[in-house]
Amino acid sequence: MAVPTEVDHARPCIELSYVDAVHGRRRRPLRDCVTCRFEDVDPVCTFRWSRGQRHFPGWYWAATTGRHVGFESWLERDRLLLMDFDPSVVGISSQPFWLHWHDGERERRHAPDYFIRRADGSAVVVDVRADERIEPKDAEAFEVTRLVCAQAEWRFDRLGIPDALLLANIRWLSRNRTCGVCTTRLQPGSGRSSQPRGH
């Protein structure tokens, strides 16, 4: 299937469905959703565990939000850990919405892995997938998501395997980063943490 060269957010075929705390499940045109606080919504998918499954879902307690954020793989968990230590990030939600579009033959949908709100008010939509595991259908979904995010003035990041040394350092710091114990934050570009507070 060909990837569309542009996506018009004003067209009714581009819609988002999400879980509203007041109204429940909603499906609305993209143009009506660009100011929604998707960092506060519940996941549109259920994180399931079953015998013999090949992925590893779970819940991560994020110090940034003070609540649990879901993940579907260890790679997503690692990226979530790094986002939680990013001082520019003030909000994180997992699988915040379904993106619905039509590929010319049938309706398609894709749920991005994360929605991030930054301190400056900007938004980032994140998909996590290792480079070698991206199938053609995944590449199409990521490209459509990127184009739609551009229309909404959100940034789109497709993230793969993080730097091993950085991840190891953050994992070590996270052992003491619990509510009311430590508020260590990673300094951008330095690979070092700021002075922990609350001790």
Side-chain angles (χ1 to χ4, degrees):
M1 297 180 182
V3 176
T5 57
E6 62 180 80
V7 176
D8 183 357
H9 75 292
R11 295 176 59 187
C13 62
I14 305 299
E15 296 180 324
L16 302 185
S17 58
Y18 58 96
V19 181
D20 186 292
V22 176
H23 302 96
R25 290 191 175 271
R26 307 189 69 185
R27 179 164 170 166
R28 304 167 65 197
L30 174 66
R31 65 175 177 269
D32 295 338
C33 298
V34 295
T35 61
C36 290
R37 292 184 56 85
F38 286 115
E39 66 271 28
D40 296 329
V41 300
D42 291 331
V44 293
C45 300
T46 301
F47 298 97
R48 300 181 183 275
W49 296 262
S50 61
R51 184 182 298 274
Q53 68 184 24
R54 302 181 65 179
H55 61 288
F56 303 94
W59 294 94
Y60 168 84
W61 188 88
T64 297
T65 62
R67 63 190 180 105
H68 286 92
V69 181
F71 59 85
E72 286 191 312
S73 68
W74 287 343
L75 178 55
E76 287 186 20
R77 178 205 59 189
D78 292 343
R79 282 297 180 181
L80 183 54
L81 178 63
L82 294 176
M83 288 186 282
D84 193 28
F85 270 80
D86 185 339
S88 72
V89 173
V90 296
I92 311 169
S93 65
S94 56
Q95 297 186 336
F97 52 75
W98 285 107
L99 169 62
H100 302 268
W101 77 97
H102 202 281
D103 65 7
E105 298 178 1
R106 62 187 177 90
E107 182 178 286
R108 299 280 305 280
R109 71 175 188 172
H110 171 63
D113 293 317
Y114 297 107
F115 185 93
I116 297 172
R117 183 70 65 184
R118 296 196 176 277
D120 62 4
S122 63
V124 186
V125 174
V126 176
D127 269 308
V128 179
R129 190 71 55 86
D131 294 349
E132 65 274 12
R133 297 194 61 190
I134 298 177
E135 302 290 339
K137 65 177 182 178
D138 301 321
E140 179 182 355
F142 296 159
E143 178 63 7
V144 170
T145 305
R146 183 188 68 80
L147 293 169
V148 170
C149 285
Q151 294 286 351
E153 298 186 350
W154 299 333
R155 189 171 119 190
F156 174 69
D157 286 342
R158 201 281 301 169
L159 302 177
I161 298 173
D163 177 78
L165 180 59
L166 172 63
L167 182 60
N169 288 336
I170 295 300
R171 281 176 176 166
W172 184 86
L173 289 170
S174 70
R175 294 185 300 177
N176 293 321
R177 193 171 190 248
T178 57
C179 184
V181 175
C182 179
T183 56
T184 304
R185 304 286 281 189
L186 185 69
Q187 293 297 316
S190 69
R192 297 177 304 207
S193 64
S194 61
Q195 181 65 34
R197 294 171 293 173
H199 291 275

